[in-house]
Amino acid sequence: MSTPESMPEEFTTPSRRGRVRLRRAAVLAVPAGLLGATMMVLTAQGVLAAQLSISGMPFTVTADKLEGEGFQQFGKLDSMIDNSPNAGNTGGQVLVVVSAIKKAKLTNLCQSVDLGGTNLLIRAGRGSTKVEATTLATDSTLVQGDASFGNIEIGNDASTLTKGGVGGAPGVFGQQADTVVINNLRQTNYATTAATFTLPGLTLSFSDNGC
């Protein structure tokens, strides 16, 4: 296990050191619980997502099926802007599992965010044409589904991951696979990025119910 001196600066901020020690342990332990019928699927740090300051408002994503080529996963802390009204007792940071998928296809995609009394609802890929994304990145606290992997590697240093097209921080537990398939996908996300994102049959509306 890495010593505090070798951990990235974002894990060792002095004002939050006590809390971050617990979070660091959780980050290193997360991937062990991701295999099997239930899994957290999230996306990636890297060039696209690294510049994000999250709003602190979670949103839900569901899909009947996700098919991916080039998959990798690791933990990190996402940060809100200073004095964010959504920080609550988190200190402005949220522990997430980051998953990157180089090429992804999703069937019957639904995304919703609770705005307080109503939900902003986005749907796409409900017909024969699937949603497609490249370098798809989602930072999540929970994703559920029935998952299978092709040629998976578990225990990599996150900074050495290559299959999803992005990299994590040195000393953080990571895993990667050639392929991933998840049926009945459900995520709680704090951020999503992609190099390209094609949404056939896109509809955006307000609804009493989320995904």
Side-chain angles (χ1 to χ4, degrees), residues 31-57:
L34 301 186
L35 302 177
T38 301
M39 131 178 207
M40 288 185 170
V41 141
L42 306 137
T43 334
Q45 191 171 323
V47 175
L48 292 174
Q51 304 302 317
L52 285 179
S53 292
I54 62 170
S55 70
M57 295 179 64

Side-chain angles (χ1 to χ4, degrees), residues 84-167:
S84 170
N86 298 321
N89 62 357
T90 66
Q93 292 183 314
V94 178
L95 175 65
V96 298
V97 175
V98 175
S99 299
I101 302 176
K102 203 162 191 178
K103 295 181 181 180
K105 294 182 179 181
L106 299 102
T107 303
N108 191 20
L109 175 69
C110 179
Q111 176 179 302
S112 64
V113 56
D114 187 349
L115 301 177
T118 190
N119 291 274
L120 177 61
L121 192 67
I122 296 173
R123 291 186 178 276
R126 286 176 286 179
S128 58
T129 306
K130 300 175 183 179
V131 171
E132 296 188 11
T134 59
T135 317
L136 177 65
T138 59
D139 295 12
S140 310
T141 54
L142 176 66
V143 178
Q144 296 177 324
D146 301 316
S148 61
F149 302 89
N151 294 323
I152 192 167
E153 302 170 3
I154 302 171
N156 312 61
D157 187 291
S159 67
T160 69
L161 300 175
T162 60
K163 295 184 178 182
V166 301

Side-chain angles (χ1 to χ4, degrees), residues 123-127 129 199-204:
R123 291 186 178 276
R126 286 176 286 179
T129 306
L199 299 167
L202 172 68
T203 61
L204 186 153

Side-chain angles (χ1 to χ4, degrees), residues 117-121 205-210:
T118 190
N119 291 274
L120 177 61
L121 192 67
S205 62
F206 292 98
S207 173
D208 292 338
N209 300 311

